[in-house]
Amino acid sequence: MKELFGNAIVGQSGGPTTAINATLTGVVKGAIASKYIRTIYGMRNGVEGLMERRIINLNETLNDSEKLRMLERTPAAALGSCRMKLPDPNSASDTDIVVFEKIFRIFAENDIRYFFYIGGNDSMDTVAKISAFGEKIGYDIRVVGIPKTIDNDLIETDHTPGYGSAAKYVATTMQEIIRDCAVYTTKAVTIVEIMGRDAGWLTAASAVGSVINGQAPDLVYLPERVFDMNAFYDSVENAFRKHPNLVIAVSEGIRFADGRYVGESTQSGSADVFGHKYLSGTAKALEMAVKLRFGCKVRAVELNLPQRCAGHLFSKTDINESVAIGKEAVRAATEQGVSGDMMVFERVSDAPYCAAIGHRRVADIANKVKFVPDEFINDKGDFVTEECCRYILPLIEGEATPTYYKGIPQYLIL
Amino acid sequence: MKELFGNAIVGQSGGPTTAINATLTGVVKGAIASKYIRTIYGMRNGVEGLMERRIINLNETLNDSEKLRMLERTPAAALGSCRMKLPDPNSASDTDIVVFEKIFRIFAENDIRYFFYIGGNDSMDTVAKISAFGEKIGYDIRVVGIPKTIDNDLIETDHTPGYGSAAKYVATTMQEIIRDCAVYTTKAVTIVEIMGRDAGWLTAASAVGSVINGQAPDLVYLPERVFDMNAFYDSVENAFRKHPNLVIAVSEGIRFADGRYVGESTQSGSADVFGHKYLSGTAKALEMAVKLRFGCKVRAVELNLPQRCAGHLFSKTDINESVAIGKEAVRAATEQGVSGDMMVFERVSDAPYCAAIGHRRVADIANKVKFVPDEFINDKGDFVTEECCRYILPLIEGEATPTYYKGIPQYLIL
């Protein structure tokens, strides 16, 4: 392997998570410790900011361990994010190629030899394209993707950084909502909507209490299975035989057999005074349906943004792994010559939990989705299996909290 | 003062909070330590369960310090709650008087001489009525109310147990939502809806960052001021001059000048396919309006149930005070002969924070609302004042967490 000396740049892209800055911390620590990297730069707002030369020197900005520690426990992307999709690097169009030429001109200006990009599915597409263009023009650069997504839907990795903390938030909040809903004796249904448009990993986390303390939602619906209204009514009726206060967890992405989202169905005839079609969300749509069918009190709760930004409730496992995978990305690129790859976790064992860090070709990963497998969902499609819970449990293990000052968390702003 | 020996009973009523079980813990500890109380009973589901003789012996149920410690940090009402309103104790109607006769028969059967009721506004009405009926029939009982409500809207007390933890959750989550919303450079508005139908105390807590670290929502709207759509648009336009990502906090209870809730206005013409009028909530209604006016991305976030049940994020001050006020209620009733009163906090000083515990006639408190005072809201009605934040700050101070087991909190189920 050829030794490659120069500068490195790191960016964040896609939706925020609570652990994406832990990975940034790992990359920065790894870069500072590496003999191959002189300066580690950060691009603001991913490749979008890179193209506008909005670059900061992270050796200077993060020059003490206190700042790095605070960054590790700051939710959302501290460098800012973007949703920019790069064109095809083999495009024949001049306007397409100009984009890459600009990026590589900026690389050359700053002697960038290492490019680390922390993101989800779309961001891995960026990694693949920058890597491909670099090879095409013979510019010596190592390009490594580092996964993050609360959705846990990247293939080739056991799980993604950010998922564990989001799953812990969902699992914990569900325990609390169940307690809250149990206080009255009247018949009532609470429907909790959890993020996950295509994959139900996060919604599945709502059920982990079933293997810990027996406290779990009565029903759990993932987008991997077709949602059938009559089967749903049957399941609700069965659940009412056990107790009067039902809690139901649903993925935002559940759909009917015809492909329509449940969240858009009930409102199809509905519009606001401005004439806008009203999209209320999945829980809200089911709230209406259950109210009509069972005539009881129904409440819709959308867990919403806190699922991905609740930095006051990190999974310690997730934070530690997120830092480690960032560091390891730097080591792999500098010492093993890895490029065009995404870093991955390989689970070695469940109990005691052990996961190794490896890497896979990013071109095989980008734009694909890892669904919750069939054996993780029960036959009726209204709950998850024990096997599913056993997969999730180690990822939510351990607590890590930010430092509080005057009652609120201290987060680092770059 | 006459010495009164016998048994005690404690109940919880109204909406759950994270601190209502801390107060229960205080009452139980106080009762166990008191020479006047033989047995401390708990009524399930407040007076509703009391009338059905659903009573448990808490000396037996909570017979070790580990259980009491876990109860202290369990959200929602562990004894269960109710929303039962008692009739007028001076009513001439037989069916009304039968209710009280039944309650006092159950008291006599169990030699109940102390009645502690933890609740909000409506629960204090229950306390006043039971106290009045006891005096009327000459049954020797001391009846004491202990406040709880996340709404902080009881008069005669500086604040209410449960508010501090809910306020800490709102303040913390707001810090995280602000970080989350700052990651993109595109123009966007996030509208966060916070509980509080009549009083804006909880929404005001979203702004405390303004006096701590400068991170606060751009605009904050409380129900104490009339909501004017044009003034709102002006404030949003002004805020956009500072940065592209706005975060706006609104109380669920904000209303227009004609008294209509903002949350019902935009949907007035809207119904679902079943013909139900669609009530979407305040943030959702404003989402539509802002989208139409400014043409940018708008997101509505309802903080919902976690505000009142997020036991993973207690305010230490709130929990300690909630235990203390429960204990003090027992001491006041047994050693000072207090009856027909609600326990209150009297703030002695802001910095260092110090609050004493006293008591006031419950008849003067029940069915009244303490609003956020005028000097706590700015002139434009779109933010709170520094004075308001200084009032809230000590109440959210300190962190207390539950014990975690396998990644989720351990809560006590009675």
Side-chain angles (χ1 to χ4, degrees):
Chain A
M1 191 207 76
K2 188 188 125 185
E3 290 199 320
L4 182 60
F5 293 88
N7 297 322
I9 194 161
V10 58
Q12 298 172 308
S13 172
T17 79
T18 47
I20 190 169
N21 292 327
T23 300
L24 177 61
T25 309
V27 170
V28 171
K29 283 181 172 172
I32 289 173
S34 171
K35 67 173 181 178
Y36 300 99
I37 296 173
R38 219 165 36 242
T39 302
I40 171 80
Y41 292 104
M43 53 189 121
R44 290 199 183 273
N45 300 104
V47 287
E48 189 186 294
L50 172 67
M51 292 191 63
E52 295 162 357
R53 292 186 170 76
R54 290 192 285 120
I55 290 170
I56 57 172
N57 182 321
L58 293 176
N59 295 66
E60 286 170 7
T61 314
L62 297 168
N63 58 358
D64 66 69
S65 60
E66 177 53 30
K67 278 185 188 167
L68 279 167
R69 202 208 49 78
M70 206 196 284
L71 178 65
E72 180 194 295
R73 300 194 181 183
T74 292
L79 284 171
S81 183
C82 72
R83 294 228 179 250
M84 188 180 180
K85 199 175 166 78
L86 292 181
D88 178 358
N90 297 313
S91 166
S93 145
D94 277 357
T95 51
D96 286 351
I97 297 309
V98 157
V99 171
F100 289 101
E101 285 176 350
K102 183 161 186 189
I103 289 172
F104 278 80
R105 196 177 321 126
I106 295 165
F107 286 165
E109 281 167 16
N110 295 282
D111 192 27
I112 302 293
R113 299 293 160 186
Y114 295 97
F115 180 94
F116 301 103
Y117 213 47
I118 313 166
N121 231 313
D122 296 336
S123 314
M124 292 311 131
D125 180 76
T126 299
V127 168
K129 286 168 173 172
I130 287 182
S131 171
F133 194 85
E135 272 180 43
K136 190 173 146 186
I137 63 168
Y139 180 94
D140 226 352
I141 188 166
R142 293 180 191 156
V143 182
V144 176
I146 314 170
K148 73 84 212 158
T149 165
I150 61 163
D151 293 327
N152 199 38
D153 62 350
L154 289 173
I155 66 164
E156 296 286 330
T157 183
D158 176 75
H159 59 279
T160 56
Y163 172 67
S165 293
K168 187 184 189 78
Y169 180 83
V170 168
T172 294
T173 303
M174 194 55 72
Q175 292 292 311
E176 295 165 346
I177 289 176
I178 291 168
R179 293 269 51 76
D180 188 283
C181 294
V183 305
Y184 296 115
T185 52
T186 44
K187 202 170 163 178
V189 177
T190 301
I191 304 168
V192 183
E193 178 175 336
I194 297 163
M195 282 179 169
R197 207 75 177 148
D198 301 309
W201 293 107
L202 215 44
T203 304
S206 70
V208 293
S210 62
V211 297
I212 302 175
N213 58 12
Q215 300 291 310
D218 297 279
L219 303 167
V220 175
Y221 292 93
L222 313 189
E224 279 79 0
R225 291 286 175 88
V226 163
F227 187 81
D228 179 86
M229 211 62 197
N230 287 322
F232 172 66
Y233 288 144
D234 284 350
S235 292
V236 171
E237 208 155 302
N238 276 332
F240 269 135
R241 289 195 191 107
K242 279 176 257 164
H243 49 207
N245 294 294
L246 305 189
V247 177
I248 301 173
V250 297
S251 271
E252 58 177 337
I254 53 171
R255 298 172 192 227
F256 294 116
D258 62 7
R260 275 178 314 144
Y261 284 108
V262 172
E264 56 186 331
S265 66
T266 329
Q267 285 70 43
S268 56
S270 158
D272 69 9
V273 284
F274 307 115
H276 291 78
K277 189 176 159 191
Y278 205 84
L279 290 175
S280 72
T282 308
K284 205 78 190 165
L286 289 176
E287 176 190 336
M288 289 291 165
V290 173
K291 210 175 265 178
L292 186 78
R293 178 77 172 212
F294 296 95
C296 62
K297 194 186 159 193
V298 190
R299 186 197 286 269
V301 178
E302 209 185 322
L303 292 191
N304 218 312
L305 291 188
Q307 289 166 91
R308 71 180 198 197
C309 67
H312 65 273
L313 188 63
F314 299 103
S315 148
K316 194 164 191 173
T317 302
D318 184 30
I319 290 298
N320 289 348
E321 285 190 339
S322 296
V323 173
I325 202 170
K327 271 190 191 164
E328 185 59 21
V330 174
R331 207 189 61 79
T334 55
E335 295 180 20
Q336 300 178 319
V338 168
S339 185
D341 279 20
M342 183 187 86
M343 305 305 293
V344 299
F345 290 119
E346 294 158 13
R347 190 178 299 213
V348 179
S349 83
D350 273 341
Y353 172 70
C354 174
I357 298 173
H359 45 90
R360 296 281 187 288
R361 297 307 296 165
V362 75
D364 299 336
I365 296 168
N367 309 316
K368 286 177 190 136
V369 175
K370 185 180 74 180
F371 295 104
V372 176
D374 233 33
E375 65 272 24
F376 279 14
I377 307 173
N378 74 355
D379 289 342
K380 279 170 122 180
D382 65 5
F383 208 78
V384 296
T385 62
E386 269 192 54
E387 198 182 341
C388 178
C389 295
R390 277 199 300 272
Y391 162 82
I392 296 168
L393 277 182
L395 310 180
I396 67 169
E397 187 65 65
E399 291 69 50
T401 54
T403 305
Y404 284 82
Y405 175 66
K406 289 181 183 280
I408 59 174
Q410 276 191 291
Y411 293 134
L412 188 75
I413 301 175
L414 283 181
Chain B
M1 191 208 75
K2 188 189 122 184
E3 289 199 323
L4 182 60
F5 294 89
N7 297 321
I9 194 161
V10 58
Q12 299 173 307
S13 170
T17 78
T18 46
I20 190 169
N21 291 328
T23 300
L24 177 60
T25 309
V27 170
V28 172
K29 283 182 173 171
I32 288 173
S34 170
K35 66 173 181 177
Y36 299 100
I37 297 173
R38 219 165 34 239
T39 302
I40 171 83
Y41 292 103
M43 52 190 121
R44 291 200 182 273
N45 300 106
V47 286
E48 190 185 293
L50 172 66
M51 290 189 64
E52 295 162 359
R53 291 187 172 76
R54 289 192 286 119
I55 291 170
I56 56 173
N57 181 323
L58 294 176
N59 294 66
E60 286 170 9
T61 315
L62 296 168
N63 58 356
D64 67 69
S65 60
E66 178 52 31
K67 278 187 187 166
L68 278 167
R69 202 208 49 76
M70 205 196 281
L71 178 65
E72 179 193 296
R73 299 193 182 184
T74 291
L79 285 171
S81 182
C82 72
R83 293 224 179 256
M84 186 181 182
K85 200 176 164 79
L86 293 181
D88 179 356
N90 297 312
S91 166
S93 145
D94 275 358
T95 51
D96 285 352
I97 295 309
V98 157
V99 172
F100 288 102
E101 285 175 350
K102 183 161 187 189
I103 290 173
F104 278 80
R105 196 177 322 125
I106 295 165
F107 286 166
E109 281 167 16
N110 295 282
D111 191 27
I112 302 294
R113 299 294 160 185
Y114 295 96
F115 179 94
F116 301 104
Y117 212 49
I118 313 167
N121 231 310
D122 295 337
S123 314
M124 292 310 131
D125 181 74
T126 300
V127 169
K129 286 170 174 171
I130 287 183
S131 170
F133 194 84
E135 273 181 42
K136 192 174 144 184
I137 63 167
Y139 180 94
D140 227 353
I141 189 166
R142 293 182 190 155
V143 182
V144 176
I146 315 170
K148 74 81 216 160
T149 166
I150 61 163
D151 293 327
N152 199 38
D153 61 351
L154 289 174
I155 65 164
E156 297 287 329
T157 182
D158 177 74
H159 59 280
T160 56
Y163 172 68
S165 293
K168 187 185 189 78
Y169 180 84
V170 168
T172 295
T173 303
M174 194 53 73
Q175 292 292 309
E176 295 164 348
I177 289 176
I178 291 168
R179 294 269 51 77
D180 187 283
C181 294
V183 305
Y184 295 116
T185 53
T186 43
K187 201 170 163 178
V189 178
T190 301
I191 304 169
V192 183
E193 179 175 337
I194 297 163
M195 283 179 168
R197 210 69 179 151
D198 301 308
W201 293 108
L202 215 44
T203 305
S206 71
V208 294
S210 63
V211 297
I212 300 174
N213 58 12
Q215 301 291 311
D218 297 280
L219 304 167
V220 175
Y221 292 93
L222 312 189
E224 279 79 359
R225 291 286 176 87
V226 164
F227 188 81
D228 179 85
M229 211 63 198
N230 286 322
F232 172 66
Y233 288 145
D234 284 351
S235 292
V236 171
E237 206 156 305
N238 275 332
F240 268 136
R241 289 197 191 105
K242 279 177 256 164
H243 49 206
N245 294 294
L246 305 189
V247 177
I248 301 173
V250 296
S251 273
E252 58 176 338
I254 53 171
R255 299 171 191 226
F256 294 117
D258 62 9
R260 275 178 313 146
Y261 284 108
V262 172
E264 57 186 332
S265 66
T266 329
Q267 284 72 40
S268 56
S270 157
D272 69 11
V273 284
F274 307 113
H276 291 77
K277 188 176 161 190
Y278 205 84
L279 289 177
S280 71
T282 309
K284 206 78 187 166
L286 289 176
E287 176 189 339
M288 289 291 164
V290 172
K291 211 174 261 176
L292 186 79
R293 177 78 173 216
F294 295 96
C296 62
K297 192 184 160 196
V298 190
R299 183 196 287 267
V301 179
E302 210 184 323
L303 292 191
N304 219 313
L305 290 187
Q307 290 166 89
R308 70 180 197 195
C309 66
H312 64 273
L313 188 64
F314 299 104
S315 148
K316 194 163 193 174
T317 302
D318 185 30
I319 290 298
N320 289 347
E321 285 191 338
S322 296
V323 173
I325 202 169
K327 271 191 193 165
E328 184 59 20
V330 176
R331 207 189 62 79
T334 54
E335 296 182 18
Q336 300 180 319
V338 168
S339 185
D341 278 21
M342 183 187 88
M343 305 304 293
V344 299
F345 290 120
E346 293 158 13
R347 191 177 298 214
V348 179
S349 82
D350 275 341
Y353 171 70
C354 175
I357 298 175
H359 45 90
R360 297 278 189 288
R361 297 309 294 166
V362 75
D364 299 337
I365 295 168
N367 309 314
K368 287 179 188 135
V369 175
K370 185 180 76 182
F371 296 104
V372 176
D374 232 35
E375 64 270 24
F376 279 13
I377 308 170
N378 74 356
D379 289 343
K380 277 169 123 181
D382 65 5
F383 209 78
V384 296
T385 61
E386 269 192 54
E387 199 182 341
C388 177
C389 295
R390 276 199 301 273
Y391 162 82
I392 296 168
L393 277 181
L395 310 180
I396 66 169
E397 186 67 64
E399 291 69 50
T401 54
T403 305
Y404 284 82
Y405 175 66
K406 290 181 184 276
I408 59 174
Q410 278 191 290
Y411 293 135
L412 188 76
I413 301 176
L414 282 182

